[in-house]
């Protein structure tokens, strides 16, 4: 039995942060960062059967073209992903009444739809990027045993190429779900390595009033190429989603609408349109 201090439940039996019961979620789940983006997706649903919000975690479940889908906001960063992934897994793979893991485990399909900045000049604004790999620059996932799921040779190559300071922790690389990759791919989508930073400013090379440890890190990441696979974009969730998903047995994929190109300094003239197009694309693929 999992102790109540480890798996915290609300008085109604729902998981602590997400405020959800098992019947509230579908097996196909879309993650967004911004809570206001949840309804930008569910507005296309035929019906909505459930809606709740606690803190930044907003959840709606409904039907889209006959498919039951859940849309959930995760907020920003790997620390929030740690909460969301573990509590979602608890909903389907732990009996919340007995507090015991189930014998027959359920695999969820989780697709993150986000916005991001491109690191490559030839990946233009308003395009879509699929994270073939998530490269974590944060340390959250290192709290778990990840050696068996990590792309260690790629990690070593990245560390060498960037002259990474290991005092910041060892970067990790996790692959996406091959099942969802095949389900979502098209000629319109660029594939590559999605970097996951532990912060927005210094960890992503932005300088306001504070100097950063490696002012050349972004250019080093731009030029990183492992057997033909390049860094495509930088954000704050994908690596953590891939890592926890793979450890827990869920299928995970990250799709981003590129609204900025940091290589050439451009920004989308209509970023909302790019996001809406990605939403329509992902929903259509899920409903097939």
């Amino acid at each position: 039995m999992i102790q109540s201090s480890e798996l915290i439940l609300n008085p109604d039996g729902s998981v602590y942060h997400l405020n959800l019961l098992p019947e509230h979620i579908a097996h196909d789940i879309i993650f967004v960062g911004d809570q206001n983006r949840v309804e930008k997706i569910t507005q296309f649903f035929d019906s909505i059967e459930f809606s709740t919000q606690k803190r930044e975690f907003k959840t709606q479940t409904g039907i889209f073209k006959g498919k039951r889908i859940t849309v959930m906001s995760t907020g920003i960063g790997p620390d929030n992903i740690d909460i969301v992934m573990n509590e979602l897994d608890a909903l389907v793979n732990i009996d919340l009444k007995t507090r015991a893991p189930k014998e027959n485990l359920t695999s969820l399909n989780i697709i993150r739809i986000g916005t991001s900045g491109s690191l490559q000049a030839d990946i233009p604004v308003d395009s879509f990027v699929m994270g073939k790999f998530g490269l974590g620059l944060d340390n959250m996932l290192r709290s778990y045993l990840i050696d068996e799921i990590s792309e260690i040779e790629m990690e070593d190559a990245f560390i060498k190429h960037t002259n990474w300071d290991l005092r910041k922790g060892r970067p990790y690389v996790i692959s996406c779900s091959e099942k969802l990759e095949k389900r979502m791919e098209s000629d319109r989508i660029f594939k590559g390595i999605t970097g996951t930073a532990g912060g927005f400013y210094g960890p992503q090379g932005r300088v306001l009033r504070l100097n950063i440890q490696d002012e050349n890190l972004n250019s080093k990441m731009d030029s990183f190429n492992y057997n033909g696979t390049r860094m495509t974009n930088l954000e704050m969730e994908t690596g953590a989603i891939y890592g926890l998903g793979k450890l827990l047995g869920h299928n995970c994929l990250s799709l981003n609408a590129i609204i900025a190109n940091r290589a050439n300094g451009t920004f989308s003239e209509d970023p909302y349109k790019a996001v809406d197009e990605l939403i329509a694309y992902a929903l259509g693929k899920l409903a097939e």
Side-chain angles (χ1 to χ4, degrees):
M1 186 179 74
I2 300 171
Q3 297 299 313
S4 58
S5 59
E6 310 306 295
L7 175 59
I8 304 171
L9 302 178
N10 296 308
D12 64 354
S14 63
V15 290
Y16 182 64
H17 296 90
L18 301 184
N19 203 32
L20 297 173
L21 292 167
E23 59 266 27
H24 292 155
I25 64 167
H27 288 178
D28 289 319
I29 299 175
I30 294 175
F31 282 175
V32 294
D34 185 354
Q35 56 195 300
N36 293 323
R37 196 172 290 157
V38 171
E39 291 182 350
K40 287 181 68 67
I41 297 177
T42 60
Q43 67 177 324
F44 299 107
F45 284 15
D46 303 315
S47 62
I48 296 174
E49 66 183 58
F50 174 79
S51 182
T52 192
Q53 180 168 0
K54 185 178 180 181
R55 305 187 187 188
E56 62 266 53
F57 307 114
K58 182 172 184 176
T59 303
Q60 291 191 331
T61 297
I63 304 297
F64 176 78
K65 295 184 177 180
K67 171 77 72 169
R68 190 169 186 253
I69 299 173
T70 292
V71 184
M72 176 181 296
S73 61
T74 65
I76 299 174
D79 49 344
N80 274 14
I81 296 302
D82 183 55
I83 291 171
V84 172
M85 292 295 293
N86 276 289
E87 292 194 4
L88 277 178
D89 181 75
L91 288 172
V92 295
N93 289 323
I94 297 174
D95 186 317
L96 299 185
K97 294 181 179 179
T98 66
R99 294 180 170 273
K102 297 178 180 178
E103 290 187 11
N104 297 316
L105 301 180
T106 296
S107 292
L108 301 171
N109 296 317
I110 298 170
I111 297 176
R112 166 173 155 73
I113 295 179
T115 56
S116 187
S118 169
L119 297 177
Q120 304 294 338
D122 63 334
I123 301 179
V125 295
D126 302 326
S127 61
F128 302 160
V129 161
M130 175 188 293
K132 174 84 173 171
F133 299 94
L135 191 158
L137 308 177
D138 64 291
N139 291 311
M140 185 279 291
L141 203 64
R142 290 288 175 192
S143 295
Y144 300 93
L145 302 175
I146 65 172
D147 285 351
E148 291 188 1
I149 65 166
S150 300
E151 304 289 335
I152 294 176
E153 291 184 0
M154 192 184 298
E155 294 172 4
D156 290 339
F158 179 81
I159 290 167
K160 181 179 180 180
H161 179 80
T162 59
N163 192 27
W164 184 265
D165 188 340
L166 289 175
R167 290 177 298 178
K168 296 192 294 185
R170 178 183 170 90
Y172 60 87
V173 179
I174 314 292
S175 64
C176 72
S177 160
E178 292 185 5
K179 171 187 172 183
L180 290 182
E181 177 186 2
K182 293 177 181 177
R183 188 171 176 180
M184 289 286 159
E185 65 185 355
S186 80
D187 294 338
R188 181 175 181 177
I189 293 180
F190 292 85
K191 293 184 184 181
I193 303 168
T194 294
T196 297
F200 184 77
Y201 289 96
Q204 294 190 38
R206 292 183 173 91
V207 176
L208 302 184
R209 291 203 312 116
L210 297 176
N211 292 328
I212 57 177
Q213 182 269 330
D214 186 352
E215 61 184 15
N216 298 312
L217 179 58
N218 277 17
S219 62
K220 295 175 185 176
M221 290 194 295
D222 294 349
S223 60
F224 179 62
N225 188 312
Y226 184 79
N227 295 336
T229 302
R230 304 178 299 167
M231 292 279 294
T232 51
N233 60 311
L234 189 59
E235 45 85 270
M236 296 180 62
E237 289 82 28
T238 295
I241 293 170
Y242 285 8
L244 288 174
K246 194 148 287 191
L247 289 172
L248 292 166
H250 304 298
N251 302 302
C252 299
L253 186 70
S254 176
L255 299 174
N256 278 275
I258 297 300
I259 62 171
N261 187 299
R262 298 190 67 184
N264 56 35
T266 57
F267 191 83
S268 173
E269 294 183 0
D270 191 350
Y272 299 107
K273 180 182 177 182
V275 173
D276 287 345
E277 289 180 351
L278 180 57
I279 289 169
Y281 177 83
L283 281 176
K285 289 289 187 179
L286 276 177
E288 287 180 356

